[in-house]
Amino acid sequence: MDFTLTEEQVLIRESLSKAFQTDYDFDKRRAVLEDAATFHSPAMWSTIAESGFTGLLAPEDSDGFGGGAAELMVVAEELARHLSLEPFLSSAVMAVRLLDLASDATERTLRMPGLLSGEQPGAVALYEPGERYAMENVATTAVETGEGWRLNGAKAVVIGADAAAWIAVSAKLEGDDVDIFVVETDANGVKRNPYRLVDGRGAADLELKDVVVPLSARLTSGGDAVAILSEVEDWAVLTMAAESLGAMECAKDLTLEYLKTRQQFGQPIGSFQVLQHDMANILSEVEYARSMVYWAAAAMAGDDPITRRHTISGAKAYIDKAARFVAEKTVQMHGGVGVTDEYALSHYVKRLTLTQILFGDRDEHLTRFLETA
Amino acid sequence: MDFTLTEEQVLIRESLSKAFQTDYDFDKRRAVLEDAATFHSPAMWSTIAESGFTGLLAPEDSDGFGGGAAELMVVAEELARHLSLEPFLSSAVMAVRLLDLASDATERTLRMPGLLSGEQPGAVALYEPGERYAMENVATTAVETGEGWRLNGAKAVVIGADAAAWIAVSAKLEGDDVDIFVVETDANGVKRNPYRLVDGRGAADLELKDVVVPLSARLTSGGDAVAILSEVEDWAVLTMAAESLGAMECAKDLTLEYLKTRQQFGQPIGSFQVLQHDMANILSEVEYARSMVYWAAAAMAGDDPITRRHTISGAKAYIDKAARFVAEKTVQMHGGVGVTDEYALSHYVKRLTLTQILFGDRDEHLTRFLETA
Amino acid sequence: MQLTYDEDQIAFRDEVRAFMADKAQLALGEDARHGMHLTKDEVIAWHKALAERGWIAPKWPVEHGGAGWDPIQVHIFDEEAFAAGMPRLPNFGLNYVGPVVIHFGDDWQKERFLGPILSGDEFWCQGFSEPGAGSDLAAVGTRAQRDGDNYIVSGQKTWTTQAHWADWMFTLVRTDREVKKQEGISFLLIDMKSPGITVRPIMTLDGEHQVNEVFIDDVVVPAKNLVGEENKGWDYAKFLLSNERTGIAGVGQSKSEFARLKMIAKTEKRRGKPLSEDPLFQAKMAELELELKALEITNLRMLIEEKDKGAPGPISSILKIKGSEIQQTLATLTMEAAGTYAAPFIPDALDASWNGEPAGPAFAAAATPYYFYRRKASIYGGSNEIQRNIIAKQLLGL
Amino acid sequence: MQLTYDEDQIAFRDEVRAFMADKAQLALGEDARHGMHLTKDEVIAWHKALAERGWIAPKWPVEHGGAGWDPIQVHIFDEEAFAAGMPRLPNFGLNYVGPVVIHFGDDWQKERFLGPILSGDEFWCQGFSEPGAGSDLAAVGTRAQRDGDNYIVSGQKTWTTQAHWADWMFTLVRTDREVKKQEGISFLLIDMKSPGITVRPIMTLDGEHQVNEVFIDDVVVPAKNLVGEENKGWDYAKFLLSNERTGIAGVGQSKSEFARLKMIAKTEKRRGKPLSEDPLFQAKMAELELELKALEITNLRMLIEEKDKGAPGPISSILKIKGSEIQQTLATLTMEAAGTYAAPFIPDALDASWNGEPAGPAFAAAATPYYFYRRKASIYGGSNEIQRNIIAKQLLGL
């Protein structure tokens, strides 16, 4: 039993942190946030790709780093600390894992280099409008034609779809099998409605109207889609959990600092017992959340998909509660300053709110935790 | 709109309080509590009956006081303040309301005087073992015989059954109608297993083995039992709500006093901000609970049984939460003293715990509140 | 013990309800309910309608153009207005500075200021908070130096809601630094068009511009704009804050928002079933409904006490706490109801004039911004921590 | 990052597990799990079995008869023992005073006291708390006056668990009143059979007699019973309290209680369905299970830190808080599971020898008393409020 990071993991964290410290401070990031056309920083994204982080989870035979859940945990925590707006989650986690799990060698050879170089980011669509977090409810259809497959349907809140060169979507075939197809975002009939998410990252709703894709675009066969997308979702949930932890740590540190410096009624507000106890509770919840991220990371290494999902969902349910508590409490303890956009806390709070929403909220994961028990 | 008590209601409260103050102080009550044979004080019970409180809810044409929910609220709150162990709930609320609602004039004329004099207390059995709070699940059977009805079955945790001269029970007839029967506790085949409840009041489990009752013992016909028992239960729930309020008020007062007098680390513990805020929350919850008792009392006067039940259940769900919070928090704020039997607080805490359990817990009433919306 | 309105109150309610029905075209219905922003014109139209009816200033005495209602009537009016989807009006003039001028102002001030407040021709903002002071309102650093017929005022205010709309600002300024902090404060009315006033927007995490910093740099303010006596400003501020307490529970608005949430729960699905059939979501809804019921009845108890005794007293602190918690839970559950569609964040979509493409159901666009917005409910007007301090000291004697 | 036991730890766990299986007849199975009280004989039988195996004092050094285990081993042992339903042993001798005597006692004291603790022949109680001191342990009023080879001790102790069973009591006594309160305290061992000792039971709200007042009236205590130096007792007390922190999370016991609650939920019905299919009850169970999992992993993190660095440090305060909250929630849900049958209160029914008629399912009799009993979990050993003070001061620097 060992909870320490390997030397390699420490190096990963440090090199990532350094890249962000120099090129992505609060003001530079603000400029990215105010850019209405590109929702992230192409320069930062290049740096991330050049440093090899885009290949963190790609297998070594695809020129990836071959990292696993522990490495992802380290990276995601750090990305959240620096409030990254880059499409790491959508492309380097979800698209990479999907290609690795779903596609044959040809497709992988074709698309992995673009993911790793960062120049052809991918995205994965999990849900459809009105279906909340039920990815097994697929109304999008795929009909075989002479030239390939014709897709029709819609996908909701596809993370990173704004920046993606291609998007993986599930669609129902005749006979009700659900398979995964790759759609180029510039194909005819693909309509994206891009927007920022709560924390500033990009996403889009997706409409597919008679979109024709080649036969090779079908990544799975025989209805494997839901199992594979579930595993991709589990990776995404782990990413959210680790991001949440990173954001909680920063919100905690900012608040502790504020308690020590901010004066009211002639004394630092940290001298008030109620705020001391609040702060003790925050520290405590962050520590417990960290334990739950470890638990989730360890589960991703396991073989049994039910146990994996049970643990991932349990961890998300716990961490979402901690995230809400820390986000709401740290704002409250800051008073007015906590709600201003110009102070970093509100940005961590937004991230903590987003991580609660994406890939299943607390109620959803509590239910999944019980179902998989 | 008016939230004040009438002069008459104030008089009721004061005369009841006076009777308890003189004859039922903490030590005298302790003696009652330690009496293994009789779970209440026959002397105090006589005083209550002589003062007319046993007839509070009985109609005037039965020589009762003809009071309603507001009067019951006042009395129950006061009984809880004095930690009464007397069978008021079982006999003066449940049995009186049952007789009034269910029985014909003959039976009422026969039994009401015994209830009012306190000499022949009654009790009402609502639930069966293993069925929790589902009074519609009746396994007890009633079979007509030449001489009357033969009853077989069991009833769970019948409040006041230890002291009762008769008990009203539901039983299923041929054809699945459920009706209410009166059983004399000294009848052949009636077995009681008496015990004290959490707060010291008496109750018993009841077994009926080939108990034969006369034809006149059937109080309802055509399966009215559940509707009538539901109304009796609603009266009991209102009693619990008002008792809970009285006990919360006392727990609050004891704790405030303790905060002001108890010294630790060289200062009264009431100077610690965390305890001040706890106390503010307690005050607040007690005020809100009081409002919910008013809401419940007002609902008992209404005509529509669904609305009545909706309100009663909503109030109980709210008040149970407040009761748990106040009980647990006041113990915590007292530290070790709070868990000792010799200090009054623990007795209020026990009462607050019991009121959460009896006649449906919070989950049950939340569900009922939703079902009746 | 009588929990329903009496005949007069019911008649009053019916009168208000009829008025609301009559003015239904002014309410922005679904848009307003879904958290869309109103234009100034829309707000003014509603203001004028109320002014015309003599209902624009519910609590002002009739001789000053008010409705002269008692607290219960004010409550009934609020409930009906919110139920009908009418917008909340900016209240810095009507509910804050207006009563102060009526009670403590001189004839010239009454003549000059009350009319434009009633007509809606002048908007006000509140210059109380200062940087670094937080809930310690008496820590006023802005200085006003008497100079002939004027005061020369310098300092800074912050969290000034709608300063960018306002024509006037009522302020606390320090006129004596030698005495206890509460004793050297004056209550001064400042024209926002005065040279030396600079308004800097503060963007908040809901993506909105509502509050501002106001820099006051050697601003010349005529001495006739001083309300009451010099150095007595703290008394007027306390009077103003105690008025703020009425209506602090926000019962009417929360009831209207709860009704909307119930509608939403009927259409939004979780695992193929509407949220109105989801046991976990329903349990949260039921608990919230009961909290709101407890607040409503307790608020009525306090209003009757206020009606009988003239002032709500410190017990209103408990209303502020639960009222704000309920507002926050309402926003939280609405956000949860939006599911995945709580994630997109498009503040522009809240402008009625926006013509971009919405993501998800109509209510979803405002759900998360509103959740963020409601974080303020437990901070402003004296944070909930301050309210608990008040309860402990003033009600419990701790 | 490796979240599972290593090979050595698994081998150790299997060894413990085999031992537990071997001694299964000593566990009182259902009775113990249902909260029935053990007789002193039953407790002693288990004590002797462990003593024989050399496992009675897990953390004592081997040369003093201990097992010499590291914190992870102690944790594994606890988990297995609780999972097998073995009773918790009184730990005032083994875990509290024993290590103090080992570290600070002289040879005579080691010779005299350690053996009977290991053999189970002498029970101990802890004379720290005094009336009116509460969580302020240094507020010691009991005085010890040196008189030749003896101390004459007078004062009063309270909340003294099992004083009515104990042969000996270790106490904090005041030997100097002129200095700071922490500096005039000594650590003295008192024979409970000494003339002048009076034990008065304190009944608690769970209907039990576990704690006592101990009156000490001019009791003559030989000076050789002084541990370490005079006036250094506070140091030894702090050492003792820091040992108390290991195992404070109560993970093993809570896991065993959770498993039992899961069984109960399968049989108890609500509205015709078992609680294990009731959405509200299941949501509470799931939340509790996750709290317990978070506690378990965090506890392991701390244990490894303790193993590596030698001491758990103040971070263990967070374990105490959550550990006690979980214990309380477990008791609360068990009470809720009992439904109507949580209402009867028959303390006698918890004696295995009782032959009255039970009311309701077997687990129900102990459910509400246990809920009451568990109220103490957030009070003793430094209340949770004190723990938060410690976190704020020692970990956060506030």
Side-chain angles (χ1 to χ4, degrees):
Chain A
M1 194 162 302
D2 180 15
F3 294 95
T4 51
L5 298 183
T6 63
E7 268 180 55
E8 196 177 53
Q9 287 160 352
V10 172
L11 275 176
I12 289 175
R13 190 180 62 195
E14 285 174 358
S15 77
L16 187 64
S17 177
K18 213 171 139 194
F20 273 91
Q21 267 162 26
T22 46
D23 299 333
Y24 215 78
D25 65 17
F26 195 66
D27 288 333
K28 285 183 191 147
R29 176 182 177 273
R30 176 175 295 286
V32 178
L33 202 51
E34 281 164 8
D35 182 339
T38 311
F39 294 163
H40 70 283
S41 155
M44 190 69 220
W45 182 236
S46 285
T47 307
I48 289 174
E50 279 158 24
S51 314
F53 292 111
T54 42
L56 187 78
L57 300 178
E60 293 177 35
D61 60 15
S62 300
D63 293 326
F65 179 82
E71 287 74 28
L72 174 58
M73 181 181 79
V74 169
V75 167
E77 187 183 334
E78 205 58 32
L79 289 172
R81 285 174 175 275
H82 295 283
L83 294 166
S84 161
L85 301 166
E86 309 311 308
F88 180 87
L89 164 66
S90 48
S91 188
V93 179
M94 297 174 72
V96 164
R97 292 311 305 141
L98 180 100
L99 271 195
D100 191 29
L101 290 164
S103 65
D104 60 17
T106 326
E107 200 65 18
R108 208 159 44 226
T109 314
L110 181 72
R111 300 190 181 275
M112 204 63 104
L115 295 183
L116 268 58
S117 73
E119 283 162 23
Q120 299 285 315
V124 181
L126 295 176
Y127 316 111
E128 299 201 349
E131 294 297 342
R132 200 162 286 250
Y133 307 110
M135 75 170 79
E136 62 281 13
N137 294 357
V138 176
T140 300
T141 55
V143 178
E144 204 167 355
T145 66
E147 10 165 18
W149 295 89
R150 193 171 55 242
L151 305 177
N152 276 287
K155 298 289 173 181
V157 195
V158 184
I159 319 297
D162 57 308
W166 56 267
I167 301 173
V169 301
S170 55
K172 188 173 273 181
L173 281 56
E174 275 177 82
D176 277 359
D177 270 359
V178 174
D179 278 313
I180 300 172
F181 297 81
V182 174
V183 177
E184 309 291 332
T185 46
D186 59 6
N188 279 334
V190 173
K191 193 180 145 204
R192 286 180 290 174
N193 170 24
Y195 43 74
R196 286 190 188 274
L197 298 178
V198 168
D199 68 345
R201 276 183 283 198
D205 271 27
L206 191 66
E207 236 182 274
L208 306 172
K209 228 179 208 161
D210 290 328
V211 178
V212 176
V213 298
L215 285 169
S216 64
R218 179 179 171 198
L219 297 186
T220 59
S221 61
D224 278 353
V226 173
I228 288 171
L229 292 179
S230 292
E231 188 164 345
V232 171
E233 192 193 39
D234 286 343
W235 282 100
V237 170
L238 174 63
T239 312
M240 287 300 95
E243 283 201 14
S244 188
L245 176 62
M248 277 192 262
E249 289 276 11
C250 291
K252 181 196 78 181
D253 293 345
L254 286 172
T255 306
L256 182 56
E257 182 62 26
Y258 191 74
L259 289 188
K260 288 179 178 174
T261 50
R262 163 79 173 176
Q263 302 270 326
Q264 206 169 331
F265 303 107
Q267 49 191 315
I269 61 172
S271 64
F272 293 109
Q273 195 191 22
V274 162
L275 297 184
Q276 291 180 350
H277 281 206
D278 283 344
M279 198 67 224
N281 291 336
I282 289 170
L283 174 79
S284 169
E285 276 313 298
V286 175
E287 285 302 328
Y288 287 112
R290 176 171 291 285
S291 295
M292 293 306 256
V293 175
Y294 292 172
W295 189 46
M300 289 309 295
D303 294 328
D304 175 28
I306 304 289
T307 307
R308 189 191 70 222
R309 183 145 267 240
H310 180 67
T311 306
I312 286 285
S313 285
K316 177 89 162 51
Y318 187 95
I319 290 163
D320 279 357
K321 193 188 66 159
R324 181 172 288 176
F325 171 75
V326 170
E328 295 183 351
K329 196 51 114 174
T330 52
V331 167
Q332 180 71 20
M333 291 167 78
H334 273 82
V337 174
V339 299
T340 59
D341 184 70
E342 59 202 76
Y343 186 68
L345 180 74
S346 71
H347 296 266
Y348 290 110
V349 166
K350 285 180 169 183
R351 203 164 188 106
L352 288 171
T353 305
L354 185 73
T355 57
Q356 293 171 55
I357 296 167
L358 290 187
F359 312 116
D361 61 11
R362 178 170 158 78
D363 282 359
E364 172 68 24
H365 284 287
L366 264 190
T367 308
R368 289 187 192 174
F369 178 70
L370 286 163
E371 284 170 349
T372 49
Chain B
M1 194 164 301
D2 179 15
F3 294 96
T4 51
L5 299 182
T6 63
E7 268 179 53
E8 197 179 53
Q9 287 161 353
V10 172
L11 275 177
I12 289 174
R13 189 180 63 196
E14 285 173 359
S15 78
L16 187 64
S17 177
K18 211 171 141 194
F20 272 92
Q21 265 162 28
T22 46
D23 299 334
Y24 214 78
D25 66 18
F26 195 66
D27 287 333
K28 284 183 191 146
R29 176 182 177 274
R30 179 175 293 288
V32 178
L33 203 51
E34 281 164 8
D35 183 338
T38 311
F39 294 162
H40 71 284
S41 155
M44 189 70 218
W45 182 236
S46 284
T47 305
I48 288 173
E50 280 159 23
S51 314
F53 292 110
T54 41
L56 187 78
L57 300 178
E60 292 178 36
D61 61 14
S62 297
D63 293 326
F65 179 80
E71 286 74 28
L72 174 58
M73 182 181 79
V74 168
V75 167
E77 187 183 333
E78 205 58 33
L79 289 171
R81 286 175 175 275
H82 294 283
L83 294 166
S84 161
L85 301 166
E86 309 312 309
F88 180 86
L89 165 65
S90 48
S91 188
V93 179
M94 298 174 73
V96 164
R97 292 310 305 141
L98 180 100
L99 270 196
D100 191 27
L101 290 164
S103 65
D104 62 15
T106 324
E107 200 65 19
R108 207 157 47 223
T109 313
L110 184 71
R111 298 190 183 274
M112 203 64 102
L115 295 184
L116 268 57
S117 73
E119 283 163 23
Q120 299 284 316
V124 181
L126 295 177
Y127 317 111
E128 300 201 348
E131 295 296 342
R132 200 162 287 249
Y133 306 110
M135 75 170 79
E136 64 280 14
N137 294 357
V138 176
T140 300
T141 55
V143 178
E144 203 167 355
T145 66
E147 9 165 17
W149 296 89
R150 193 169 56 241
L151 304 176
N152 275 288
K155 299 289 172 181
V157 195
V158 185
I159 319 297
D162 58 306
W166 56 267
I167 301 174
V169 301
S170 54
K172 187 174 273 181
L173 280 57
E174 275 176 82
D176 277 0
D177 270 358
V178 175
D179 279 313
I180 301 171
F181 297 81
V182 173
V183 177
E184 310 290 334
T185 47
D186 60 5
N188 278 336
V190 173
K191 194 179 146 202
R192 286 181 291 175
N193 170 24
Y195 43 74
R196 285 190 189 274
L197 299 179
V198 167
D199 68 346
R201 276 182 283 198
D205 273 25
L206 191 65
E207 235 181 275
L208 306 173
K209 227 179 209 162
D210 290 327
V211 177
V212 176
V213 298
L215 284 170
S216 63
R218 180 179 171 198
L219 298 187
T220 59
S221 62
D224 278 353
V226 173
I228 288 170
L229 291 178
S230 291
E231 189 165 347
V232 171
E233 192 192 40
D234 286 343
W235 282 100
V237 170
L238 174 64
T239 312
M240 287 299 95
E243 283 201 14
S244 189
L245 176 61
M248 277 192 260
E249 289 276 10
C250 291
K252 181 196 78 181
D253 293 344
L254 285 172
T255 306
L256 182 57
E257 181 61 25
Y258 191 74
L259 289 189
K260 288 179 179 174
T261 50
R262 164 79 172 175
Q263 302 269 326
Q264 206 168 332
F265 302 106
Q267 49 192 315
I269 60 174
S271 65
F272 293 109
Q273 196 192 22
V274 162
L275 297 184
Q276 291 180 351
H277 282 207
D278 284 344
M279 198 66 225
N281 291 336
I282 289 169
L283 172 77
S284 169
E285 277 313 298
V286 176
E287 285 302 327
Y288 287 111
R290 175 171 293 284
S291 295
M292 293 305 256
V293 174
Y294 291 173
W295 189 46
M300 290 308 295
D303 293 328
D304 174 29
I306 304 288
T307 307
R308 187 191 72 221
R309 183 146 267 240
H310 180 68
T311 306
I312 286 286
S313 284
K316 177 90 161 53
Y318 188 96
I319 291 162
D320 279 358
K321 193 189 66 163
R324 181 172 288 176
F325 171 75
V326 170
E328 295 183 350
K329 195 52 108 174
T330 52
V331 168
Q332 181 70 20
M333 290 166 80
H334 273 82
V337 173
V339 300
T340 59
D341 184 69
E342 59 203 74
Y343 186 68
L345 181 73
S346 71
H347 296 267
Y348 290 110
V349 166
K350 285 181 169 182
R351 202 162 190 109
L352 288 171
T353 305
L354 185 74
T355 58
Q356 293 170 55
I357 297 167
L358 290 187
F359 311 116
D361 61 11
R362 177 170 159 77
D363 283 358
E364 173 67 24
H365 283 287
L366 264 189
T367 308
R368 288 187 193 174
F369 177 70
L370 286 164
E371 284 169 350
T372 50
Chain C
M1 188 72 46
Q2 169 62 33
L3 272 168
T4 47
Y5 293 132
D6 61 29
E7 274 178 38
D8 288 350
Q9 288 162 339
I10 288 172
F12 178 74
R13 187 194 64 193
D14 292 344
E15 189 186 353
V16 173
R17 198 172 280 178
F19 174 82
M20 296 295 161
D22 190 40
K23 300 290 173 191
Q25 86 284 2
L26 295 177
L28 296 138
E30 282 308 290
D31 273 3
R33 282 206 193 84
H34 285 162
M36 308 293 275
H37 296 161
L38 305 182
T39 64
K40 205 170 169 179
D41 283 351
E42 289 166 331
V43 172
I44 287 175
W46 174 227
H47 189 115
K48 298 276 180 201
L50 286 175
E52 209 169 275
R53 183 72 176 78
W55 287 358
I56 189 64
K59 286 182 284 187
W60 291 19
V62 176
E63 68 265 30
H64 289 110
W69 290 336
D70 69 34
I72 306 285
Q73 289 176 301
V74 175
H75 172 76
I76 290 171
F77 178 80
D78 275 357
E79 284 221 18
E80 295 299 323
F82 280 117
M86 295 298 174
R88 172 159 232 147
L89 293 176
N91 54 8
F92 293 107
L94 289 165
N95 292 349
Y96 287 41
V97 74
V100 170
V101 169
I102 289 170
H103 273 78
F104 304 107
D106 58 28
D107 289 343
W108 176 81
Q109 289 166 343
K110 288 178 193 165
E111 181 67 26
R112 167 64 189 84
F113 294 113
L114 297 183
I117 290 174
L118 290 172
S119 66
D121 290 329
E122 286 182 355
F123 274 93
W124 285 75
C125 65
Q126 169 175 289
F128 279 14
S129 291
E130 297 197 359
S135 291
D136 185 6
L137 279 187
V140 172
T142 298
R143 294 178 57 193
Q145 190 89 38
R146 184 72 182 239
D147 179 26
D149 284 346
N150 296 311
Y151 286 96
I152 311 300
V153 185
S154 281
Q156 187 187 338
K157 298 291 176 179
T158 193
W159 313 125
T160 317
T161 302
Q162 291 166 354
H164 55 306
W165 280 12
D167 304 292
W168 285 86
M169 173 168 68
F170 56 93
T171 57
L172 296 181
V173 294
R174 184 152 303 283
T175 37
D176 188 341
R177 296 198 292 174
E178 308 300 312
V179 292
K180 257 183 67 189
K181 65 180 174 180
Q182 285 84 356
E183 289 167 11
I185 294 172
S186 296
F187 195 103
L188 199 60
L189 313 178
I190 301 182
D191 187 336
M192 290 296 279
K193 289 178 293 294
S194 312
I197 294 277
T198 314
V199 175
R200 194 185 78 84
I202 299 175
M203 300 302 293
T204 44
L205 84 170
D206 51 359
E208 293 302 317
H209 170 208
Q210 288 266 356
V211 294
N212 304 271
E213 289 183 292
V214 179
F215 298 91
I216 308 170
D217 194 14
D218 284 336
V219 172
V220 178
V221 180
K224 63 182 176 180
N225 290 3
L226 176 78
V227 175
E229 290 178 51
E230 200 176 81
N231 296 330
K232 296 279 189 208
W234 185 245
D235 292 344
Y236 315 143
K238 279 195 296 186
F239 170 84
L240 183 150
L241 294 171
S242 79
N243 284 325
E244 194 181 349
R245 285 197 181 123
T246 311
I248 210 166
V251 172
Q253 184 166 8
S254 288
K255 281 174 79 173
S256 150
E257 288 183 11
F258 186 78
R260 176 177 156 244
L261 179 58
K262 259 184 136 161
M263 295 298 298
I264 291 171
K266 282 185 187 152
T267 54
E268 290 302 306
K269 284 189 299 178
R270 179 165 118 88
R271 298 173 157 249
K273 279 199 303 190
L275 289 174
S276 56
E277 293 169 25
D278 181 80
L280 296 185
F281 198 80
Q282 280 311 295
K284 288 189 268 193
M285 291 272 290
E287 291 186 17
L288 175 58
E289 187 173 356
L290 293 171
E291 294 288 332
L292 185 48
K293 179 55 75 178
L295 180 73
E296 182 184 5
I297 299 173
T298 310
N299 187 49
L300 287 169
R301 286 171 53 205
M302 306 291 170
L303 290 177
I304 287 174
E305 206 176 295
E306 188 187 345
K307 188 181 162 200
D308 295 348
K309 297 187 188 156
I315 191 84
S316 56
S317 288
I318 79 168
L319 297 177
K320 167 68 167 49
I321 295 170
K322 195 172 287 261
S324 62
E325 288 170 351
I326 287 171
Q327 288 165 347
Q328 293 180 334
T329 306
L330 273 163
T332 305
L333 292 190
T334 307
M335 178 174 74
E336 288 185 11
T340 335
Y341 278 112
F345 191 68
I346 316 170
D348 286 347
L350 303 184
D351 284 329
S353 59
W354 186 67
N355 55 11
E357 201 153 346
F363 78 93
T368 307
Y370 199 61
Y371 166 79
F372 289 138
Y373 170 76
R374 277 304 194 197
R375 292 291 104 216
K376 286 184 260 183
S378 50
I379 294 172
Y380 60 28
S383 73
N384 285 2
E385 287 78 11
I386 296 288
Q387 302 299 333
R388 290 193 182 91
N389 285 349
I390 291 173
I391 295 170
K393 290 196 170 47
Q394 297 186 20
L395 288 173
L396 297 167
L398 291 173
Chain D
M1 189 69 47
Q2 170 61 36
L3 272 167
T4 47
Y5 292 131
D6 63 29
E7 274 179 36
D8 288 351
Q9 287 162 341
I10 288 172
F12 176 74
R13 186 194 64 192
D14 292 344
E15 189 186 354
V16 173
R17 197 172 280 180
F19 174 82
M20 296 294 161
D22 191 42
K23 301 290 175 194
Q25 85 285 0
L26 295 178
L28 296 137
E30 283 308 289
D31 273 4
R33 283 205 193 87
H34 285 163
M36 306 295 273
H37 295 162
L38 306 181
T39 64
K40 204 169 169 177
D41 283 351
E42 288 165 331
V43 172
I44 287 174
W46 175 228
H47 189 117
K48 298 277 182 201
L50 285 176
E52 208 169 275
R53 184 70 176 77
W55 286 358
I56 189 63
K59 287 183 285 190
W60 291 18
V62 177
E63 68 265 33
H64 288 110
W69 290 335
D70 69 34
I72 306 285
Q73 288 176 302
V74 174
H75 171 77
I76 291 171
F77 178 80
D78 274 357
E79 284 222 19
E80 295 298 324
F82 280 116
M86 295 297 177
R88 172 158 232 144
L89 292 175
N91 55 8
F92 293 107
L94 289 165
N95 292 350
Y96 286 41
V97 74
V100 170
V101 169
I102 290 170
H103 273 78
F104 306 106
D106 59 27
D107 288 344
W108 176 79
Q109 289 166 344
K110 289 178 192 165
E111 182 68 27
R112 167 63 189 83
F113 294 113
L114 297 182
I117 289 175
L118 289 172
S119 67
D121 290 330
E122 285 181 357
F123 274 93
W124 285 76
C125 64
Q126 169 175 288
F128 279 14
S129 292
E130 298 197 357
S135 289
D136 185 7
L137 279 186
V140 172
T142 298
R143 295 178 56 192
Q145 190 88 39
R146 185 72 182 237
D147 178 25
D149 284 346
N150 296 310
Y151 286 96
I152 311 300
V153 185
S154 280
Q156 187 188 338
K157 297 291 177 181
T158 193
W159 314 124
T160 317
T161 303
Q162 290 165 355
H164 55 305
W165 279 13
D167 305 292
W168 285 85
M169 172 168 68
F170 56 94
T171 56
L172 296 181
V173 294
R174 184 152 304 282
T175 37
D176 189 340
R177 295 199 291 175
E178 307 300 314
V179 292
K180 257 185 65 187
K181 65 180 175 182
Q182 284 84 355
E183 289 167 12
I185 294 172
S186 297
F187 195 105
L188 200 60
L189 312 178
I190 301 181
D191 188 335
M192 290 295 280
K193 290 179 292 295
S194 311
I197 294 276
T198 315
V199 174
R200 193 186 78 86
I202 298 176
M203 298 304 291
T204 45
L205 84 170
D206 51 0
E208 293 301 317
H209 170 208
Q210 287 265 358
V211 295
N212 303 272
E213 290 183 291
V214 179
F215 298 92
I216 308 169
D217 194 14
D218 282 336
V219 171
V220 178
V221 180
K224 65 182 175 179
N225 291 5
L226 176 78
V227 175
E229 292 178 50
E230 199 176 83
N231 296 331
K232 295 278 188 208
W234 185 245
D235 293 343
Y236 316 144
K238 279 196 296 184
F239 170 84
L240 182 150
L241 293 171
S242 79
N243 284 325
E244 193 183 350
R245 286 199 181 120
T246 310
I248 209 166
V251 172
Q253 184 166 6
S254 288
K255 282 173 77 173
S256 150
E257 288 183 12
F258 185 79
R260 176 178 157 246
L261 178 57
K262 259 183 137 162
M263 296 297 299
I264 290 171
K266 283 185 185 150
T267 54
E268 290 303 305
K269 283 190 299 177
R270 177 165 119 88
R271 298 174 156 249
K273 281 200 304 190
L275 289 175
S276 56
E277 293 169 24
D278 180 80
L280 295 185
F281 198 81
Q282 279 311 295
K284 288 189 268 192
M285 292 273 290
E287 291 187 18
L288 175 59
E289 187 172 356
L290 292 171
E291 293 288 331
L292 185 48
K293 179 54 75 176
L295 181 73
E296 181 184 7
I297 299 173
T298 309
N299 187 49
L300 287 169
R301 287 170 53 204
M302 306 291 170
L303 290 176
I304 287 174
E305 205 177 297
E306 187 186 348
K307 188 181 164 201
D308 295 348
K309 299 189 185 152
I315 191 84
S316 55
S317 287
I318 80 168
L319 298 177
K320 167 66 166 50
I321 295 170
K322 194 172 288 259
S324 63
E325 288 170 350
I326 287 171
Q327 288 164 348
Q328 292 179 335
T329 306
L330 273 163
T332 304
L333 292 189
T334 307
M335 177 175 74
E336 289 184 11
T340 334
Y341 278 112
F345 192 68
I346 316 170
D348 285 349
L350 304 183
D351 285 329
S353 60
W354 186 68
N355 54 12
E357 200 154 344
F363 78 92
T368 306
Y370 198 60
Y371 166 79
F372 289 138
Y373 170 77
R374 277 303 194 198
R375 292 291 103 214
K376 286 184 260 183
S378 51
I379 295 172
Y380 60 29
S383 71
N384 284 4
E385 286 78 11
I386 296 287
Q387 302 299 332
R388 290 193 181 92
N389 284 349
I390 292 173
I391 295 170
K393 290 197 170 46
Q394 298 186 19
L395 289 172
L396 297 167
L398 290 173

